[in-house]
């Protein structure tokens, strides 16, 4: 199981309520192409959450947050996982922000920024989503989430009627999605 997120779009951008619902429903627990979760306790927490035990999953991750020192390299991963199993969007955003700011050099920072961009997109904050995705492109140019980020940047920019910028992102995404047929098809 892998913790990071991409998914196939369910509907066109013009059907924003459907897209928004799909993003919010799958945002927390769907896989992405980046680094896989490495701690079995976190994998168990995610499995429990996927099986409907969100409260139990949060207890497990909260316990790990309390017992893992912030200086431990595992801490950003635990904090990121807390974002995945959060009770609400505000809590998600707070956890992802902490990862992206306090642990900007961790392998989880770009994924946290990607998640925040998806939250912005789902909430209709298209300029915010674009800014977050630009952060990935500028600050993490070798990130494995740059391909999926390109998809959402293009969507956001097309929705803002910024066709040239959207097409530039599509080109970035196509360049990055060399082996990801599904992503290439969506792009």
């Amino acid at each position: 199981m892998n913790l990071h997120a991409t998914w196939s779009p369910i509907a066109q951008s013009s059907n924003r309520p459907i897209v928004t619902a799909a993003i919010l429903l799958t945002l927390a627990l769907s896989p992405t192409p980046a680094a896989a979760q490495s701690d079995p306790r976190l994998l168990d927490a995610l499995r429990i959450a996927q099986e409907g035990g969100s409260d139990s999953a949060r207890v497990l991750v909260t316990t790990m947050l309390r017992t893992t020192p912030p200086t431990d390299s595992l801490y950003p991963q635990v904090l990121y996982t807390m974002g995945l199993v959060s009770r609400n969007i505000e809590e998600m955003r707070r956890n992802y922000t902490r990862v992206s700011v306090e642990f900007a050099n961790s392998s989880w920072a770009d994924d946290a920024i990607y998640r925040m961009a998806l939250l912005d997109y789902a909430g209709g904050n298209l300029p915010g989503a674009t800014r977050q995705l630009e952060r990935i492109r500028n600050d993490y140019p070798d990130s494995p989430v740059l391909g999926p980020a390109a998809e959402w940047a293009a969507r956001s920019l097309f929705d803002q009627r910024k066709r040239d910028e959207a097409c530039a992102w599509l080109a970035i995404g196509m360049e990055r999605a060399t082996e990801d047929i599904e992503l290439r098809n969506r792009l």
Side-chain angles (χ1 to χ4, degrees):
M1 183 188 310
N2 190 336
L3 280 186
H4 305 277
T6 59
W7 53 84
S8 299
I10 297 175
Q12 304 261 325
S13 297
S14 62
N15 294 326
R16 180 161 305 284
I18 294 169
V19 172
T20 300
I23 291 169
L24 294 175
L25 287 173
T26 59
L27 181 62
L29 300 172
S30 45
T32 64
Q37 192 73 322
S38 61
D39 191 283
R41 298 167 295 178
L42 296 174
L43 287 171
D44 284 343
L46 287 175
R47 182 186 49 73
I48 291 166
Q50 288 174 329
E51 293 172 354
S54 296
D55 290 338
S56 297
R58 275 190 295 280
V59 167
L60 290 172
V61 178
T62 299
T63 300
M64 284 187 72
L65 270 176
R66 287 187 186 136
T67 59
T68 305
T71 54
D72 189 318
S73 62
L74 180 64
Y75 194 85
Q77 186 177 5
V78 177
L79 193 56
Y80 179 85
T81 305
M82 191 65 197
L84 294 173
V85 298
S86 293
R87 187 177 322 242
N88 57 52
I89 292 172
E90 293 77 24
E91 191 177 305
M92 268 183 174
R93 184 174 297 282
R94 186 173 43 253
N95 288 309
Y96 295 145
T97 299
R98 285 192 61 201
V99 173
S100 71
V101 172
E102 296 174 31
F103 304 97
N105 293 324
S106 78
S107 63
W108 298 94
D110 53 341
D111 299 284
I113 295 167
Y114 176 71
R115 297 279 183 164
M116 290 187 297
L118 295 178
L119 289 172
D120 284 339
Y121 185 89
N125 179 1
L126 301 178
T130 303
R131 270 191 308 279
Q132 298 287 9
L133 296 163
E134 286 287 344
R135 282 181 63 195
I136 296 170
R137 182 170 73 174
N138 295 331
D139 297 347
Y140 305 94
D142 296 324
S143 171
V145 298
L146 191 54
E151 175 185 3
W152 291 100
R155 283 179 173 274
S156 178
L157 289 162
F158 277 127
D159 288 350
Q160 295 174 70
R161 309 222 186 284
K162 296 180 179 181
R163 185 174 175 249
D164 291 342
E165 292 174 58
C167 289
W169 270 102
L170 289 174
I172 291 168
M174 291 299 284
E175 183 179 307
R176 287 310 194 97
T178 55
E179 295 180 26
D180 187 339
I181 303 297
E182 290 180 27
L183 178 59
R184 286 185 69 80
N185 288 340
R186 289 192 311 269
L187 290 166

